[in-house]
Amino acid sequence: MAIQIRNLSVRYGAHQALRDVSVDLPVGKITAVIGPSGCGKTTFLKCLNRLIDLQEGVQVSGRVLVDNEDIYAPQADLLALRKKIGFLPQRPFPLPMSIYDNITFAPRIHRLSEAELLSHINGLTTAVAQSGNGEVKPIGRHLDEKTKWNLLVENYLRLAGLWEELRGRLHEPAARLSVGQQQRLALARALAIEPSVILADEPTSALDPISARLIEGQFKLLKDKYTLAVVTHILRQARRIADHVLFFYMGELVESAPAEQFFNHPQHQRTAAYLSGEIS
Amino acid sequence: MNRRNEEKLAIGLMRLSLYGVVLILAAIMAVIVVKGFSAMSWSMITQTPKGGFYLGKEGGVANAIVGSIYLAGGATFLSLLISVPLAFALQKEYSSGRLTYYSRLALDVLWGTPSIVYGAFGFIIMMMIGLRSSLLAGIITLALLVTPIMTRAMEEIIRMAPQELKETACALGLTRLESSSTVILRQTIGGLLTAVMLAFSRAIGDAASILFTAGFSDHMPGSLLDPVASLPLAVFFQISTPIVEVQQRAYASALILFIIVLLLSLLSRWIYLKFSQNVIK
Ligand SMILES: Nc1ncnc2c1ncn2[C@@H]1O[C@H](COP(=O)(O)OP(=O)(O)OP(=O)(O)O)[C@@H](O)[C@H]1O
Ligand SMILES: [Mg+2]
C-alpha cells in the first residue's frame, strides 16, 4: 500500500519537530528511517497512522496519502486507517492481559469472521514455513473455533520468533515477559490485525544481536506483503535491511534515496558526515 | 553536618512519623477494644434492641449493622453508576482541558464539604419531594457524599494509566470507548475497586449526613421507605447516655464498625493483588 507524504510539518507548541517533509514510501520495500536522537523519527512515524493526534498541543500540517486517501482530511476514517497499519512502538507495551489474549484481542475487537480466521491461518501457515520458524501442520476443514484461535496465536508467535520459548506459558500475564520478548510480542500483535503497512520504531532496541537478526530476517520476509518503515539508530542494521533510506536531521528530511546509493554515494554533505560518524 | 548524617536524620524523622501514626492507631484501637470488649457479646451482633436497651437491658445492634451495610452498600452502588462514566468523561480523550479542570475543582470542593451539609441538603430535597427519613433518602444522601471521592479517586487512577498503553490501543484501531472499556479498564481495575472500597468505608462511617435523612429505628430495615438504624448513629446515641453499660455498648458498636472497615480494607488489598497481575508497569 503506497504512502505519499506531502509538505508535512509538525510542531509541538513552539518546537518545530518536522519541517516540510515530502517523500514517498515505496511499496513492498523496507524503508529505513535514520537520524540522530531527537531528529523527529518517531514523530514522522506517528504521523503516518495519526497516532500523533494523541499528543497534547501538537499541530500537524500537510498531507499524507495512504492508499491515495488523505488521512488528514476531515472525513478520513481513522479506525479503518489504523487497522491497515501495524505499529510497533519504541517502548513495547503489552496489553494488560495474557500473552494469548494479546494476540487475539485486536482480531476479536475487529470482529474477525470464522471464514477470515481460516483464510488467515492458511496464509500464515505458508508464511511460517517460509520463515523457518518451524512448521504448523496444514489444517483440515473441520476445526472448532477454539482450535482456530489457537492456531492463529501459534502462527503469529512463530512469525515473531516467540513460539518455542512461550508455548507453555500462553496464559500467563504478558506483563511478566522480558522487554525483548515484549518487543517481539508487539510484532506478533501488530501482525494480527493483518495490516498492509508496518511501522516499526526501533523494533530491536531491547534485543540481543541474535534475536535482532531474527526480527530483521522477519521483516525481510514480510516485505513482499507489506510496506515497511523501520526507524533505527543502528546504521549497520539499516545497511542490512533497507531497500530505501530516509535521513532526518533536526526535523528536516535531508536525503531520501535507494539504500545502495544512500550508503555508497550520499548526495548531501550532512548525510556523508553522519555516515562517517562526524555528526550524531 | 555531612551527607551521611543528613540522610540518617531524614530517615529518623520519617520513621518517627511512621511510628507516630501507628501509635495513634493502636491507641484508638486499644480504647475501643478495652472499653467495648466487656459489652461485646453474641447477642450484640445478632439481636435488635429490646425494650429498655438504651437503659442497659437486653438486646443488640444487629439492626444498625444491617442498616449500615444497606446504607453504605446502596450508596456505593448508586455512586458507582455515576462515578465510572464520570471518571472516564474527565479524561482528556473525552473532554476539553477547561471542562475537566473546572469539573475537578468542583468535585474537590464537594469532597471537602462537611457531611452535615449533605445531610441538610438531602433533608431539603426530601421535604420537597415529600420523602420522609428512610433507607432510600439515606442512600441518596450518602451517594452524593461519596461520589466526589469515588470519582476523583477513579479519575486519577485512569489518568495515571501509561500513555503508551493508550497509544498501543489506539494504534490497534480501537475506538476510544473500546480502549477505555477493555484495555484501560483492565489496566486500572485493581485501583478502581480500591476506589469503590474507599467510598464504601467513607459511607459506612458517616453519621452527620444520615442523621436526618435515614433516621433511626429499633427494627431490622424493612422497606426502602422506612427509617433505618446505622452504626455511627448507634454509637452516637449510646455514648450520650449517662449509663455506663450503655456507653460500653457504644464502644462495642464502634468496635464492630472498626472490624467491618478493617475487613474491607483487607479485602480491597486482596482484590487489588488479584486484579493487578496483568497490570503493565
Ligand atoms: N510530546 C512532545 N511534546 C513536545 N516536544 C516533543 C514531544 N515529542 C517529541 N518532542 C520533541 O520533538 C523532537 C523529535 O522527537 P522524536 O521523538 O520524533 O525524536 P526521535 O528522532 O524519535 O528521537 P529518538 O531517536 O531519541 O527516539 C524532539 O526534539 C523532542 O524533544
Ligand atoms: Mg524515537
Side-chain angles (χ1 to χ4, degrees):
Chain A
M1 194 174 286
I3 299 186
Q4 292 141 322
I5 295 120
R6 295 290 172 267
N7 310 103
L8 182 68
S9 294
V10 177
R11 35 170 73 252
Y12 297 106
H15 176 75
Q16 181 122 31
L18 283 182
R19 200 185 305 270
D20 198 25
V21 174
S22 295
V23 68
D24 291 355
L25 299 189
V27 182
K29 299 242 162 84
I30 298 180
T31 302
V33 180
I34 64 171
S37 180
C39 69
K41 304 184 293 293
T42 299
T43 304
F44 174 71
L45 220 54
K46 283 187 177 171
C47 285
L48 307 185
N49 65 349
R50 286 197 57 178
L51 210 55
I52 195 82
D53 293 15
L54 267 59
Q55 302 294 327
E56 262 167 287
V58 69
Q59 279 172 284
V60 182
S61 64
R63 292 189 305 152
V64 175
L65 305 177
V66 175
D67 214 10
N68 297 318
E69 280 182 58
D70 183 6
I71 63 171
Y72 285 92
Q75 74 277 12
D77 180 350
L78 293 190
L79 296 183
L81 168 76
R82 292 182 182 132
K83 199 188 163 306
K84 284 188 259 182
I85 298 183
F87 184 80
L88 311 191
Q90 188 160 7
R91 216 149 66 90
F93 249 82
L95 300 172
M97 48 190 81
S98 70
I99 296 164
Y100 187 98
D101 291 343
N102 257 271
I103 307 223
T104 58
F105 180 70
R108 281 186 203 275
I109 289 265
H110 293 299
R111 311 219 165 93
L112 195 71
S113 73
E114 284 217 47
E116 287 171 304
L117 188 59
L118 203 64
S119 87
H120 284 185
I121 295 171
N122 281 321
L124 281 167
T125 311
T126 337
V128 168
Q130 284 170 359
S131 73
N133 281 312
E135 220 156 305
V136 189
K137 278 193 282 318
I139 50 169
R141 304 184 95 246
H142 303 291
L143 291 174
D144 59 30
E145 196 175 342
K146 187 155 189 326
T147 317
K148 284 185 201 156
W149 283 108
N150 290 346
L151 275 170
L152 193 80
V153 170
E154 174 175 348
N155 276 306
Y156 284 122
L157 285 178
R158 278 187 191 277
L159 276 183
L162 269 177
W163 175 250
E164 291 304 333
E165 52 191 294
L166 295 185
R167 59 189 305 170
R169 317 171 38 189
L170 296 181
H171 295 284
E172 273 182 32
R176 290 193 198 148
L177 297 178
S178 76
V179 180
Q181 288 170 329
Q182 292 181 4
Q183 214 155 33
R184 283 175 284 160
L185 185 65
L187 172 63
R189 185 180 60 201
L191 292 175
I193 60 173
E194 291 282 315
S196 324
V197 177
I198 291 182
L199 307 175
D201 199 351
E202 302 197 16
T204 62
S205 59
L207 297 179
D208 59 280
I210 297 182
S211 318
R213 288 294 185 100
L214 206 128
I215 295 295
E216 288 173 16
Q218 219 44 65
F219 283 148
K220 285 188 187 168
L221 287 167
L222 292 171
K223 74 180 180 190
D224 296 335
K225 274 176 70 188
Y226 303 85
T227 301
L228 280 129
V230 180
V231 170
T232 176
H233 62 266
I234 313 166
L235 274 177
R236 277 189 300 176
Q237 182 173 59
R239 280 181 205 271
R240 283 195 296 266
I241 61 171
D243 301 302
H244 196 90
V245 185
L246 308 184
F247 172 57
F248 284 88
Y249 192 80
M250 290 174 64
E252 281 179 48
L253 177 62
V254 177
E255 185 153 354
S256 156
E260 169 50 68
Q261 181 194 329
F262 183 89
F263 288 115
N264 299 325
H265 313 285
Q267 304 292 304
H268 293 262
Q269 190 240 322
R270 261 189 294 184
T271 315
Y274 184 71
L275 288 176
S276 64
E278 281 163 39
I279 54 171
S280 60
Chain B
M1 195 168 17
N2 71 26
R3 290 167 49 221
R4 251 174 260 284
N5 287 337
E6 246 172 57
E7 191 189 31
K8 272 190 193 143
L9 180 70
I11 293 176
L13 289 173
M14 291 177 206
R15 293 244 168 89
L16 202 66
S17 50
L18 176 65
Y19 297 147
V21 170
V22 173
L23 203 72
I24 291 170
L25 184 66
I28 296 174
M29 275 184 72
V31 169
I32 296 175
V33 171
V34 168
K35 291 206 161 191
F37 200 73
S38 58
M40 204 48 165
S41 65
W42 190 238
S43 60
M44 218 19 216
I45 50 177
T46 54
Q47 290 186 15
T48 51
K50 302 288 172 313
F53 177 70
Y54 298 100
L55 300 170
K57 300 252 177 65
E58 296 270 283
V61 291
N63 58 326
I65 298 175
V66 176
S68 262
I69 290 175
Y70 280 10
L71 280 167
T76 308
F77 178 72
L78 197 58
S79 171
L80 188 67
L81 298 182
I82 305 167
S83 295
V84 173
L86 195 50
F88 277 105
L90 285 175
Q91 303 301 313
K92 65 172 190 293
E93 288 89 334
Y94 296 103
S95 312
S96 75
R98 264 174 92 88
L99 181 62
T100 57
Y101 177 83
Y102 287 109
S103 308
R104 281 193 203 115
L105 191 66
L107 286 167
D108 285 346
V109 172
L110 285 174
W111 186 328
T113 304
S115 59
I116 189 77
V117 176
Y118 284 92
F121 177 73
F123 191 66
I124 294 171
I125 300 293
M126 276 163 54
M127 302 298 277
M128 275 168 56
I129 61 176
L131 193 66
R132 63 182 188 128
S133 296
S134 60
L135 177 58
L136 182 64
I139 286 177
I140 293 173
T141 312
L142 278 176
L144 292 176
L145 176 76
V146 299
T147 296
I149 300 173
M150 202 192 291
T151 305
R152 280 294 269 133
M154 286 183 166
E155 182 262 326
E156 203 77 40
I157 287 159
I158 297 170
R159 197 143 44 92
M160 288 303 140
Q163 174 70 15
E164 287 96 333
L165 195 60
K166 295 175 190 167
E167 290 185 10
T168 298
C170 178
L172 287 171
L174 271 62
T175 63
R176 284 173 294 176
L177 182 64
E178 284 163 348
S179 168
S180 302
S181 62
T182 55
V183 176
I184 301 304
L185 191 67
R186 273 162 175 270
Q187 171 78 8
T188 53
I189 184 80
L192 296 184
L193 289 172
T194 310
V196 173
M197 290 298 176
L198 183 71
F200 187 93
S201 309
R202 179 78 172 84
I204 205 169
D206 196 68
S209 63
I210 50 175
L211 189 57
F212 329 115
T213 53
F216 202 83
S217 149
D218 279 348
H219 305 289
M220 281 294 198
S223 96
L224 270 175
L225 298 176
D226 290 333
V228 296
S230 55
L231 280 168
L233 291 180
V235 173
F236 176 64
F237 293 142
Q238 294 175 108
I239 213 159
S240 34
T241 65
I243 304 160
V244 179
E245 287 89 350
V246 179
Q247 283 179 4
Q248 282 174 342
R249 284 181 185 162
Y251 284 103
S253 310
L255 185 59
I256 295 169
L257 188 56
F258 191 84
I259 290 170
I260 294 176
V261 172
L262 182 71
L263 288 179
L264 276 172
S265 302
L266 292 177
L267 182 68
S268 81
R269 283 295 145 82
W270 182 78
I271 291 177
Y272 184 83
L273 286 180
K274 183 138 175 56
F275 281 92
S276 56
Q277 273 192 31
N278 276 313
V279 168
I280 316 295
K281 306 223 172 50

